[in-house]
Amino acid sequence: MRAKVNQNICLNDYKNVWIIAEQRNGKIEPVTIELIGEGRKLADILSRELIVAVCGYEMKEETEKLLHYGVDKVCYVESPLLKDFSTDGYVKAFADLINERKPEIVLVGATSLGRDIGPRLAARLGTGLTADCTKLEIDETDNKLLMTRPAFGGNLMATIVCPKNRPQMSTVRPGVMEKAHFHEEKTGEVEVIVPALTKEDIRTNLEQVIVADQKKVNLVDAKIVVSGGRGLKTAEGFALVQELADTIGGVVGSSRACVEAGWIDASHQVGQTGTTVRPDLYIACGISGAIQHLAGMSESKYIVAINKDPKAPIFEVCDYGIVGDLHKVIPAMIEQIKENPDL
Ligand SMILES: Cc1cc2nc3c(=O)[nH]c(=O)nc-3n(C[C@H](O)[C@H](O)[C@H](O)COP(=O)(O)OP(=O)(O)OC[C@H]3O[C@@H](n4cnc5c(N)ncnc54)[C@H](O)[C@@H]3O)c2cc1C
């Protein structure tokens, strides 16, 4: 999002790295811990504090838990009007706080909720926002935030800066950044803030929350992901992928080609427009390794590729490559694993 240059601001007035926490039903969402992990690195480079802002109600105990992840402070904005998410309420509460405290960097999860409030917050604060970042760095010559995201259909990575406005804002995709580690010792403190928020500030009225009746695929937290691509040839090919995943305790992923072909639900898609994963083991079966797919899995610890084409780009990023027909290789793998369960 492009911001109008705000002529009146003094960049030096803005300090510290802020995370906009996400909560549902009073519980902090995992993306917040990922943002804390990344925010801590940026704050340490800048020698600044890392502060987490939370909106909610009756969540004091839950916000205290954040102090185990190496943050310097939690600003907990508490009001019955913030118990459930509303765009108006959350944007006003966060914007008022940011205007008052002036952080230099604000990170938001690129979730449906974060994508709703992030751009509105940026517009209200008169600054820019780089959406869907996959990498954040500090330019050590002038301490500016370098925000990198896929551009032009994922064919190149663009690094964007926000040189004249503050805060520098970015949404970060869930699953991309490493989670902050839990420490037994707490650091920092929770400051409870009462917002200047009235019922009239919120134009919507929440009647009911209906949870989508969908089988949840937890790709983000999976330690092992076995993904299928167009090389499976048919929807039935996924039975083989599922069998391998079940044998080794993995979750089934997919390339977009299979989702578009209607072979599997979109919730399984890995990649730039799907889920970003970083499991210990990623097995790509009949996936060519298009840049948009790699954008969602290249941070996996070990990548195994099965492809009949020795020139497939996936072989350039994998740790172990098997050139062969997946319909022969996968059953052989399953057999080997079942025969040697201690492998
Ligand atoms: C804006 C944009 C966003 C996109 N986002 C995503 C995304 O999030 N995720 C994503 O995956 N893609 C995404 N794509 C699509 C991406 O560009 C590729 O088209 C897609 O990843 C290809 O899927 P694939 O590897 O399954 O298919 P293909 O590229 O067709 O590859 C199939 C592979 O299977 C191999 N094969 C065939 N038969 C066998 C066999 N019997 N045994 C072993 N190997 C075999 C072939 O050698 C080939 O390498 C996006 C594209 C655009 C433009």
Side-chain angles (χ1 to χ4, degrees):
M1 203 186 91
R2 199 166 200 186
K4 237 173 39 192
V5 176
N6 189 343
Q7 305 281 6
N8 301 322
I9 74 158
C10 171
L11 300 190
N12 290 334
D13 290 347
Y14 290 77
K15 297 200 167 51
N16 299 328
V17 177
W18 278 45
I19 305 299
I20 300 294
E22 192 165 325
Q23 58 98 353
R24 274 171 211 259
N25 301 322
K27 297 277 170 235
I28 298 290
E29 289 283 297
V31 67
T32 305
I33 310 299
E34 293 169 17
L35 295 177
I36 291 173
E38 192 61 17
R40 183 73 268 166
K41 287 185 213 158
L42 301 175
D44 288 347
I45 295 170
L46 294 165
S47 303
R48 301 289 199 212
E49 291 194 337
L50 176 66
I51 295 171
V52 183
V54 187
C55 278
Y57 185 58
E58 293 181 332
M59 280 185 61
K60 180 84 194 318
E61 219 173 290
E62 182 73 5
T63 57
E64 295 272 348
K65 291 183 191 162
L66 292 169
L67 302 177
H68 288 282
Y69 291 92
V71 307
D72 295 301
K73 189 177 194 173
V74 175
C75 287
Y76 169 38
V77 189
E78 183 169 52
S79 162
L81 295 170
L82 298 172
K83 182 171 186 287
D84 296 305
F85 175 76
S86 72
T87 309
D88 287 339
Y90 276 46
V91 169
K92 180 166 190 322
F94 282 130
D96 286 353
L97 192 63
I98 291 171
N99 267 327
E100 183 198 315
R101 309 275 172 113
K102 297 192 174 15
E104 61 188 306
I105 293 174
V106 174
L107 306 182
V108 185
T111 57
S112 48
L113 196 144
R115 284 173 174 162
D116 182 350
I117 61 170
R120 288 169 208 268
L121 265 179
R124 217 171 268 202
L125 298 165
T127 188
L129 177 138
T130 306
D132 268 3
C133 291
T134 53
K135 192 166 158 195
L136 297 171
E137 294 161 296
I138 299 292
D139 181 342
E140 297 201 19
T141 58
D142 57 8
N143 280 351
K144 283 196 188 73
L145 181 65
L146 305 175
M147 300 171 274
T148 301
R149 54 153 297 150
F152 294 105
N155 289 314
L156 59 86
M157 301 301 278
T159 297
I160 295 163
V161 288
C162 177
K164 295 184 178 148
N165 290 10
R166 289 293 177 273
Q168 302 160 95
M169 287 190 67
S170 148
T171 60
V172 179
R173 299 188 62 175
V176 174
M177 306 300 182
E178 221 173 310
K179 279 187 180 147
H181 296 294
F182 178 89
H183 305 281
E184 284 300 329
E185 291 290 304
K186 281 188 190 177
T187 51
E189 50 164 13
V190 177
E191 178 188 348
V192 182
I193 296 156
V194 179
L197 193 66
T198 64
K199 241 178 145 182
E200 289 64 45
D201 290 321
I202 302 172
R203 291 168 295 177
T204 48
N205 190 20
L206 180 71
E207 293 278 348
Q208 195 187 354
V209 177
I210 301 168
V211 181
D213 185 17
Q214 226 180 36
K215 202 170 158 225
K216 224 177 161 202
V217 187
N218 194 353
L219 280 169
V220 172
D221 294 324
K223 294 269 174 251
I224 300 176
V225 175
V226 185
S227 279
R230 201 168 359 222
L232 294 175
K233 300 286 191 295
T234 60
E236 288 67 43
F238 270 102
L240 201 53
V241 172
Q242 182 74 60
E243 195 183 342
L244 177 58
D246 290 345
T247 311
I248 54 179
V251 173
V252 172
S254 167
S255 73
R256 181 157 125 175
C258 304
V259 172
E260 283 176 347
W263 298 349
I264 192 162
D265 186 74
S267 56
H268 292 266
Q269 185 183 317
V270 171
Q272 186 192 319
T273 43
T275 304
T276 304
V277 297
R278 47 186 314 150
D280 291 340
L281 175 63
Y282 188 88
I283 306 182
C285 311
I287 292 177
S288 59
I291 188 159
Q292 297 89 354
H293 188 80
L294 301 184
M297 46 63 78
S298 58
E299 292 295 315
S300 305
K301 203 162 173 190
Y302 291 103
I303 299 171
V304 175
I306 307 165
N307 198 303
K308 67 176 188 185
D309 175 7
K311 294 204 178 89
I314 191 80
F315 287 128
E316 284 163 33
V317 298
C318 73
D319 299 283
Y320 299 96
I322 304 169
V323 179
D325 182 345
L326 63 90
H327 297 98
K328 292 185 185 147
V329 175
I330 298 179
M333 283 170 85
I334 294 169
E335 198 184 313
Q336 279 287 315
I337 296 162
K338 283 188 176 161
E339 276 174 17
N340 304 284
D342 297 332
L343 267 181

